[in-house]
Amino acid sequence: MTDQPTSTSGRPWWMDAVMYQIYPRSFCDTSGTGVGDLDGVRRHLDHLSWLGVDGLWLSPIFPSPMADHGYDVADYCDVDPLFGGMAALDALVAESHERGLRVLLDWVPNHSSDQHPWFLESRSSRDNPRRDWYIWVDGTPDEPPTKWKATFPPGTPAWTWDDTTQAWYHHRFAPQQPDLDWSNPAVEAAMLDTLRFWLDRGVDGFRMDVIHMIGKDLSRIGPDYGDATDPVRTHGHLRRIRAVLDAYDGDRVSVGEVYILDVEQVAEYIGAGPEGPELHLGFDFVPLFLEWAADPWRTHLAQAEAALGRRGSWPTWALSSHDITRVRSRLGSEEKARAAAVLLLGLRGTPFLYAGEELGLEDATVPPELRVDPAGFRDGCRAPIPWDASPHHGWAGATPWLPWPPDPDVRNAASLRDDPASIVHLYRRLLAARRASAALRAGDVTFLPAGDPDNDDVLVLERRAPDGDRRLVALNFAPTPRPFTPPAGPWTVEISSTGAGEGAPFPNELAPDEAVLLRP
Ligand code: GLC
């Protein structure tokens, strides 16, 4: 595998990396299905290299009936023909590695598809050897075992009655996504083998879907509990998952989707646990729901640093994903989305960009008759990426599976790349600045007061590396200018979210919604 240009000596590559999430269905269709494919990802690796990211995470590409667009896996060890099959993945991994880009797959361990052979066997009879690979409870068809609700469709029971064997099976998500019973050692062994399968093929790691849910204690199925998850068991599974990754070259990474909106709890799953290492990285999703104001951000960032710091864990940050309204649409303006980008790439930790975020894409407006998401609200953020201004925007020509985001004739990768003032150039400058600065990549972080006691709208953080390299990040959350006098100046504007004044002395004032990266 090629050396990463960003390596800071002695640190694992993923601490220095900026990662890029690809939702393959929406990235680029080369085959005329209207659904993106892996050759479409390979075609645009140039864009990723040009942008300056260090690796990509592919949302699930495994064979799937697509009840949850790939998060319902029917075979953990293959690639769906819709995406081009195994050959397309091998080609993508090889070409990514040639360019020094790492590749993470999306491992979905909590549940399989109801079409997975394991579940087909499990449901076939009560004495099938795989019966207890899933969670079955006896009863009568009129009354589910508990009142627990599934995530999809919202409000429906987390149990489905199965006529063949006259029992209920449990699913945290859709009925087509039965939960695996990880308390069965055979399930854990089989799932660990699926990791080895991909590690042997050369992937660099995994994003791990709702990983905090895998540990379950079936004695909790009853009215006293809100679900069967058992964190103690999850920690045990995570240590064994980690051991599988560590048995390779010490270079493979896990990034957990620990979807708990409490960073203190999330931190329990990351880094050096009391009984051994668990996840390398884990997303903190609280920032995706924070009010756009300095105080909640300052408070949360400091809390996250403290929670993760207790174990010496490395933070992970994202502004968008395939599960939530895009940052540009949430914040309501491109100016704010640009300021958020400066903050994201100024934070201590590993940032994840969501494809199209660098283009400032908004969510598509999806009319009811075109909606396909079982959750009902995630189609907009999964709209296809427009690559150029041509009629099909660089896609093969079939109508894409979801409508385009707003203004694809102008808001597409090629047009924005032609415009040095566009948001994609801001992202590119930020990535280059991060790559060049030990303070930004690896330095510690201090939250500074904005200087003026009446100035509640400016968030300031200082990054400082042991070699003395320093940067300041300052963000004005207000829609009007704010004074800000940085400590121990003078400081030069390295990057501004507005593009103004770069290379000039910082004028001690921030424009409305402006964020700056300052260097001494
Ligand atoms: C995670 C995924 C989401 C999926 C769910 C069930 O939250 O990010 O897209 O629907 O898990 O797998």
Side-chain angles (χ1 to χ4, degrees):
M1 212 162 289
T2 29
D3 275 333
Q4 295 298 293
T6 52
S7 302
T8 301
S9 57
R11 282 158 46 101
W13 66 268
W14 42 266
M15 293 178 88
D16 283 339
V18 177
M19 301 298 289
Y20 186 91
Q21 181 195 353
I22 290 177
Y23 194 71
R25 296 180 62 90
S26 303
F27 202 64
C28 179
D29 171 26
T30 62
S31 58
T33 58
V35 172
D37 48 54
L38 294 175
D39 282 351
V41 177
R42 196 151 58 88
R43 177 182 294 178
H44 291 291
L45 287 179
D46 260 343
H47 176 72
L48 272 62
S49 299
W50 175 86
L51 190 62
V53 297
D54 302 288
L56 49 115
W57 143 33
L58 297 170
S59 277
I61 41 116
F62 314 109
S64 167
M66 303 284 170
D68 189 17
H69 299 113
Y71 286 94
D72 47 323
V73 177
D75 180 350
Y76 287 97
C77 298
D78 205 349
V79 177
D80 199 290
L82 183 64
F83 296 126
M86 192 63 101
L89 182 72
D90 284 343
L92 174 61
V93 172
E95 193 170 328
S96 300
H97 286 170
E98 275 163 28
R99 293 167 175 268
L101 295 168
R102 311 279 180 159
V103 180
L104 308 188
L105 300 186
D106 201 325
W107 189 55
V108 189
N110 178 67
H111 42 268
S112 72
S113 161
D114 65 345
Q115 299 306 307
H116 195 294
W118 296 341
F119 188 71
L120 295 178
E121 285 186 43
S122 183
R123 86 185 320 178
S124 67
S125 76
R126 284 175 175 249
D127 54 9
N128 184 279
R130 290 223 165 84
R131 180 65 172 179
D132 56 1
W133 283 40
Y134 293 84
I135 299 164
W136 293 98
V137 174
D138 288 341
T140 56
D142 41 279
E143 178 87 43
T146 67
K147 296 192 188 316
W148 302 346
K149 296 294 177 221
T151 311
F152 320 134
T156 56
W159 299 95
T160 291
W161 177 255
D162 189 63
D163 261 341
T164 315
T165 55
Q166 298 282 300
W168 295 90
Y169 68 86
H170 177 48
H171 49 89
R172 290 290 297 260
F173 293 90
Q176 298 93 332
Q177 294 166 295
D179 279 40
L180 283 154
D181 180 6
W182 274 73
S183 67
N184 179 343
V187 169
E188 186 187 89
M191 289 304 291
L192 297 185
D193 277 344
T194 69
L195 293 175
R196 293 187 188 97
F197 175 86
W198 293 109
L199 293 166
D200 288 340
R201 277 193 106 85
V203 309
D204 300 288
F206 304 91
R207 180 263 191 186
M208 300 188 168
D209 192 64
V210 290
I211 192 71
H212 59 297
M213 291 184 182
I214 61 173
K216 294 193 177 66
D217 175 354
L218 303 194
S219 73
R220 296 184 180 188
I221 298 173
D224 296 344
Y225 295 94
D227 56 53
T229 51
D230 175 1
V232 174
R233 288 176 192 234
T234 300
H235 291 305
H237 299 309
L238 282 175
R239 289 192 296 273
R240 294 187 287 278
I241 288 167
R242 173 66 178 255
V244 169
L245 271 68
D246 286 352
Y248 284 75
D249 36 26
D251 223 17
R252 315 295 176 105
V253 70
S254 52
V255 51
E257 187 206 20
V258 182
Y259 207 106
I260 303 174
L261 293 177
D262 174 345
V263 70
E264 300 283 345
Q265 286 186 52
V266 171
E268 308 248 305
Y269 296 86
I270 306 167
E275 293 174 57
E278 300 189 26
L279 294 165
H280 298 88
L281 296 171
F283 288 104
D284 165 19
F285 291 106
V286 173
L288 287 84
F289 297 93
L290 284 178
E291 182 197 345
W292 189 245
D295 193 47
W297 277 83
R298 192 183 299 114
T299 304
H300 180 71
L301 294 174
Q303 190 197 356
E305 281 290 339
L308 291 156
R310 251 165 251 144
R311 284 182 175 184
S313 307
W314 187 246
T316 306
W317 304 108
L319 297 172
S320 290
S321 81
H322 64 296
D323 286 331
I324 183 171
T325 307
R326 282 182 175 279
V327 62
R328 160 76 181 81
S329 299
R330 288 201 320 273
L331 299 183
S333 75
E334 179 169 319
E335 287 70 25
K336 291 190 176 104
R338 284 171 173 250
V342 175
L343 177 59
L344 173 71
L345 293 164
L347 289 173
R348 175 182 172 275
T350 299
F352 278 69
L353 315 182
Y354 175 53
E357 176 181 323
E358 81 281 17
L359 307 176
L361 294 187
E362 292 178 82
D363 276 23
T365 304
V366 184
E369 67 278 12
L370 294 181
R371 288 186 197 153
V372 290
D373 171 30
F377 63 89
R378 301 176 299 180
D379 290 322
C381 66
R382 298 173 176 182
I385 306 287
W387 288 101
D388 59 38
S390 72
H392 300 297
H393 302 299
W395 282 51
T399 305
W401 70 295
L402 285 169
W404 297 107
D407 310 318
D409 292 340
V410 287
R411 193 166 285 276
N412 59 70
S415 303
L416 295 170
R417 281 175 58 164
D418 283 345
D419 172 7
S422 73
I423 187 168
V424 76
H425 282 269
L426 170 67
Y427 268 91
R428 186 170 187 245
R429 292 199 302 284
L430 287 165
L431 284 160
R434 194 175 166 101
R435 188 172 287 241
S437 161
L440 288 179
R441 287 199 314 276
D444 58 21
V445 61
T446 318
F447 300 94
L448 302 180
D452 171 350
D454 299 327
N455 189 352
D456 283 345
D457 294 313
V458 177
L459 171 71
V460 186
L461 45 106
E462 178 175 7
R463 305 291 314 280
R464 193 192 285 255
D467 69 359
D469 187 36
R470 289 168 73 203
R471 293 291 184 279
L472 286 184
V473 176
L475 194 165
N476 176 15
F477 286 86
T480 46
R482 285 287 181 276
F484 163 55
T485 306
W491 292 86
T492 298
V493 178
E494 184 167 1
I495 294 176
S496 163
S497 61
T498 69
E502 292 182 2
F506 179 61
N508 293 353
E509 183 176 270
L510 291 159
D513 297 320
E514 185 185 21
V516 289
L517 173 67
L518 305 180
R519 62 174 152 77

